[in-house]
Amino acid sequence: MKLCYQAVGLVCMVLMATGCHDAPIGDDFAEKQYQPQGAVISPRNVQIGFFDLGDPDNAAIAFDLETIGEPVSSAEVVATHDDGSSATFTSVSEFPSTIDVTLNEVLAILGKTIDDVEVGDEVRFTFTAATATGTYRSSESLAVPFSCRSDLKGTYNYKSSNYFCSGDELTGTVELIEEAAGKYGFDDWSFGTYPECYGGSASSWGSLQLVDVCNRLSVTGVDNYGDSWQFVINSISGPDLNATWSNTYGEFGTVVISRTDGSDWPPLSN
C-alpha cells in the first residue's frame, strides 16, 4: 500500500508541475504582438543639392526615395517654400524611385516666377506614405536651397604690394582649395607677406573661408589667432583680380591674383 500511495503522489506531482508551465508561444503570436505599423520614406543619393539661380533654365536636382517599414502602396511628395506656399510635386508607387526636379517645375507648382525667389531661399520636400494600415508623414525631409554653382578652385599666380611691413613687391603662387560647395580656403591668406614680414608662414589659418554665393564673395570664420579678415575686390580685368585684404590684427595688403590659363575671372563682387 505504501508503494501504491507513493506512485499516486508522484503522478499528481507530475501533473501539477505540467499545469504550471505556460503554453508555448509560436512565431505567429510574436508577429501579431510586435509587428510594427507605418513606414518611413527617406531621400537618398541627392544629386546637385541646390537650384542654380545662375542658370535657371538648366537648374535641376535629383534624389532617390527609399522606404522602411510596411510596404508602401504610394507616396506623396510635397514642396514647401520658406514663405509657406506649398503644393504636391508628384506621387510615386514604386520603390526605390528616382525623383527629378527642375527649377522651373517647382516654381510652376508653387505659383512663382524666378523673380520671386532669391539666394538663401529654400524649398523643403516632405513625404507621406500610404500603407495597408493608414497614411504616415515621414520624419525625414529634404531642404534644397536656391544658390549658384561655384568653381573657383585652382592654383593662381599672385603679386603682393602695399602690405603692412612695407617690403618689395612679392610674387608667387597661391592655391584656392574647395572645402565645401561654394566655400574655399587659400593655402596662404597673406599672399607671401607672412614669410616676408615674420620670416615664416602661419601654422594654420583657423576657420577662415572665402564664400562664393552667385559671384558675391565674403569671408567667414577667424584665423588661428581669433582675428577676422576681409577680402575686398577692387577690380577685375580678364584673368587678373585686384583685391585688398586686411584683418582685425592690423595686417593688410593689396594683391593681384592671376589665372594661370589666361581665362577670365567670373564677374565677382563683394
Side-chain angles (χ1 to χ4, degrees):
M1 290 295 291
K2 186 176 180 179
L3 292 175
C4 180
Y5 286 134
Q6 289 178 336
V8 172
L10 181 60
V11 171
C12 290
M13 290 175 63
V14 171
L15 290 175
M16 289 174 64
T18 303
C20 290
H21 283 80
D22 293 332
I25 298 177
D27 291 340
D28 58 340
F29 177 84
E31 290 178 1
K32 290 177 182 178
Q33 293 298 311
Y34 302 107
Q35 183 69 29
Q37 290 186 345
V40 175
I41 297 178
S42 303
R44 295 288 185 265
N45 304 320
V46 179
Q47 300 175 42
I48 305 300
F50 67 94
F51 290 119
D52 186 0
L53 293 180
D55 187 13
D57 289 336
N58 295 306
I61 66 162
F63 55 91
D64 296 338
L65 289 184
E66 299 177 357
T67 66
I68 301 173
E70 288 186 295
V72 177
S73 57
S74 65
E76 183 182 49
V77 181
V78 174
T80 303
H81 185 260
D82 286 335
D83 64 7
S85 57
S86 184
T88 298
F89 178 76
T90 189
S91 296
V92 295
S93 56
E94 295 183 1
F95 302 92
S97 291
T98 299
I99 308 298
D100 297 294
V101 187
T102 68
L103 172 58
N104 290 332
E105 285 174 335
V106 79
L107 290 176
I109 67 164
L110 293 174
K112 297 182 181 298
T113 68
I114 192 68
D115 295 329
D116 297 324
V117 296
E118 59 185 25
V119 173
D121 289 0
E122 69 177 23
V123 168
R124 183 171 295 274
F125 292 92
T126 55
F127 316 102
T128 300
T131 75
T133 60
T135 58
Y136 301 90
R137 171 79 174 269
S138 178
S139 58
E140 296 195 36
S141 62
L142 175 64
V144 182
F146 293 91
S147 189
C148 296
R149 191 182 302 275
S150 175
D151 187 17
L152 301 181
K153 63 182 181 295
T155 300
Y156 304 97
N157 295 324
Y158 71 77
K159 292 181 182 179
S160 285
S161 60
N162 302 320
Y163 49 94
F164 60 99
C165 70
S166 302
D168 296 331
E169 183 177 83
L170 305 173
T171 61
T173 60
V174 65
E175 185 179 5
L176 193 55
I177 303 164
E178 186 174 36
E179 298 174 347
K183 297 181 179 181
Y184 304 86
F186 287 109
D187 66 345
D188 181 4
W189 283 78
S190 78
F191 305 102
T193 62
Y194 273 25
E196 177 71 11
C197 299
Y198 298 131
S201 300
S203 57
S204 77
W205 296 103
S207 59
L208 289 176
Q209 284 189 322
L210 186 71
V211 180
D212 174 21
V213 179
C214 293
N215 290 331
R216 294 184 67 87
L217 299 185
S218 62
V219 178
T220 63
V222 294
D223 64 19
N224 58 318
Y225 298 105
D227 293 304
S228 58
W229 289 53
Q230 287 187 325
F231 183 87
V232 179
I233 296 174
N234 300 320
S235 63
I236 293 178
S237 178
D240 298 327
L241 183 154
N242 184 295
T244 300
W245 61 268
S246 61
N247 58 43
T248 52
Y249 185 70
E251 298 159 338
F252 59 87
T254 298
V255 63
V256 176
I257 304 174
S258 302
R259 297 172 76 101
T260 57
D261 61 1
S263 62
D264 293 346
W265 283 98
L268 302 172
S269 64
N270 295 114

